[in-house]
Amino acid sequence: MSGDGFRSRRRSAARIASLGFGVVAGLGATPCQADKHPMSYLRGFGTKADLEMQLTWGVLIISVVVILIISALVIMGVLRRRVDVPLGLGGRIPVDRSKPGLSWIYIGVGISSAVLFGTLVWTMMTIAGVSRPPSVPSVDIRITAQQWWWQVQYLSDGPSRLITTANEIHIPVGQPVRFELISTDVIHSFWIPALSGKTDVIPGQTNVTWLEADKIGRYRGQCTEYCGAQHAHMALFAVAQSPAAFKSWWDHQLEPAPQTSSAGLKHGEQLVVYHCGACHSVRGTVAGGVVAPDLTHLMSRATIAAGTIPNNVAELSAWIADPQDIKPGNHMPNLYLSGPELSDVRKFLITLK
Ligand code: HEC
Ligand SMILES: [Cu+2]
């Protein structure tokens, strides 16, 4: 994935988003070509998604067939115009009730009602089928949606195993995972199309959903309820791993930031505590803010700012130097750090693996 390619894709995505079609942009294009599973709701990768995909394709095919039949009938009707306007009526067409045209309407309404009713039953059955996971979920995750990123907290296994991360949800493959969805500001919507349908995230309310991935990989998701200026830059990722890899990821996330060894790193840590600690946490330091992404294992994430840019040293530096240039309106202010300060902050941040 080249940085430039990413940039231009991001720009074109932003352009489409400015037209108000942010979510549609996610359909074909994904900002990160490294994703194994880009946003697509036409292919599913799990027990829940499979049922939903059958319905999606079923309804899609029925709709296409209906459009084809209606179009054919309309074209036939136009071509088979049988009324010849008699002379002497000044161009007006006489009403002719002799032919049994109405019977076509009765037949048409009958067929449409039967098909619509069938679709309704199928939809209800699918909703009932996906309402509960097939077995007890192995992992419990609380997602807190906010303008414009996702806080991710792992709740199961007791307080000693509690971790907080952002925008990237690691899950064990082949096991159902339960999600508690809350919002701190406006209505968002949680959607990882290849794994599950949408669930709204509503302030003052806890919505619960679940999903399961049956294949290892990285699945892109997107906030799908317009939530303000940077709605289109509110992506998330589900990273499905083997249960063993998932456990070691979790164990690693529990570790605090490494002890700073050199003077440069110590200075970087101090700057982060002073300038960033009111909003961000870095466990193992006194930075303990809770209103922004936890940075303790920042470098273990593939993207920054909810999928807006890839996470590498160059993009990370650009973000800290001017987050408002990259994601205008986001809730991280420009901190106007000097060049040497930026360099020490960056040195410290890239130790947060
Ligand atoms: C006023 C609160 C605030 C301060 C101060 C602040 N940030 Fe942020 N930061 C945020 C918010 C909010 C986000 C999420 C932005 C988004 O994605 O919309 C963020 C995102 C980030 C991210 C991306 C994290 C990720 O996983 O996506 C990094 C890195 C970061 N900030 C570093 C810093 C550094 C370094 C400092 C200090 C020099 C700092 N921030 C100061 C609020 C703050
Ligand atoms: Cu949102």
Side-chain angles (χ1 to χ4, degrees):
M1 167 175 59
S2 82
D4 281 340
F6 196 108
R7 270 267 163 73
S8 63
R9 274 193 295 280
R10 176 154 64 80
R11 262 191 227 118
S12 56
R15 228 171 282 138
I16 299 170
S18 67
L19 293 171
F21 295 116
V23 171
V24 179
L27 230 186
T30 163
C32 192
Q33 293 298 299
D35 296 346
K36 275 174 118 189
H37 306 295
M39 295 248 305
S40 167
Y41 49 73
L42 296 176
R43 211 178 145 199
F45 293 91
T47 18
K48 190 180 185 186
D50 288 345
L51 271 177
E52 292 170 347
M53 279 323 139
Q54 288 165 15
L55 180 67
T56 303
W57 276 101
V59 174
L60 185 65
I61 289 167
I62 291 171
S63 310
V64 169
V65 170
V66 168
I67 288 171
L68 289 179
I69 292 175
I70 300 289
S71 309
L73 289 176
V74 168
I75 291 169
M76 261 170 62
V78 169
L79 294 180
R80 292 187 50 195
R81 206 179 85 115
R82 279 172 302 180
V83 185
D84 294 319
V85 182
L87 291 170
L89 281 176
R92 284 165 292 167
I93 300 169
V95 177
D96 176 7
R97 294 192 190 281
S98 61
K99 300 210 175 62
L102 268 183
S103 63
W104 282 102
I105 299 206
Y106 299 140
I107 294 170
V109 169
I111 295 176
S112 315
S113 305
V115 172
L116 278 176
F117 186 72
T119 320
L120 175 73
V121 172
W122 190 0
T123 306
M124 303 295 267
M125 282 168 57
T126 304
I127 290 173
V130 301
S131 67
R132 273 169 211 293
S135 56
V136 179
S138 59
V139 184
D140 237 315
I141 298 172
R142 179 186 292 148
I143 304 281
T144 310
Q146 45 208 292
Q147 289 170 323
W148 289 277
W149 61 283
W150 309 83
Q151 189 191 57
V152 183
Q153 287 170 301
Y154 287 71
L155 304 177
S156 32
D157 295 6
S160 65
R161 306 247 327 144
L162 197 115
I163 52 166
T164 302
T165 176
N167 305 323
E168 267 180 33
I169 309 166
H170 287 243
I171 57 173
V173 76
Q175 297 176 13
V177 176
R178 179 180 177 275
F179 290 95
E180 254 178 58
L181 305 171
I182 55 179
S183 163
T184 55
D185 39 42
V186 299
I187 300 177
H188 302 268
S189 192
F190 176 80
W191 192 35
I192 305 175
L195 301 180
S196 162
K198 306 170 178 182
T199 310
D200 274 2
V201 192
I202 299 169
Q205 182 174 323
T206 305
N207 282 350
V208 174
T209 188
W210 68 279
L211 53 80
E212 180 181 329
D214 62 12
K215 211 164 152 240
I216 287 175
R218 200 175 150 81
Y219 301 86
R220 190 185 154 97
Q222 174 70 37
C223 176
T224 174
E225 177 77 39
Y226 180 71
C227 60
Q230 288 297 342
H231 162 66
H233 285 150
M234 189 168 164
L236 73 158
F237 300 88
V239 183
Q241 297 175 294
S242 70
F246 170 69
K247 187 176 175 295
S248 62
W249 171 82
W250 193 338
D251 290 343
H252 177 67
Q253 295 285 317
L254 282 166
E255 285 166 22
Q259 289 283 314
T260 45
S261 44
S262 70
L265 283 179
K266 273 208 169 59
H267 186 229
E269 177 183 334
Q270 271 168 14
L271 288 167
V272 166
V273 167
Y274 292 144
H275 291 284
C276 331
C279 297
H280 292 281
S281 281
V282 182
R283 269 181 295 115
T285 75
V286 260
V290 292
V291 297
D294 189 302
L295 300 180
T296 315
H297 292 280
L298 168 68
M299 299 316 284
S300 71
R301 302 197 278 270
T303 67
I304 299 175
T308 308
I309 46 175
N311 190 4
N312 56 44
V313 179
E315 301 276 357
L316 179 63
S317 312
W319 173 263
I320 298 159
D322 193 355
Q324 292 300 321
D325 178 49
I326 293 172
K327 193 170 175 179
N330 92 82
H331 294 323
M332 173 161 161
N334 189 335
L335 293 150
Y336 299 103
L337 299 180
S338 69
E341 283 175 330
L342 268 176
S343 144
D344 282 351
V345 164
R346 182 184 54 217
K347 261 186 225 141
F348 172 68
L349 289 182
I350 60 179
T351 66
L352 305 176
K353 299 237 161 68

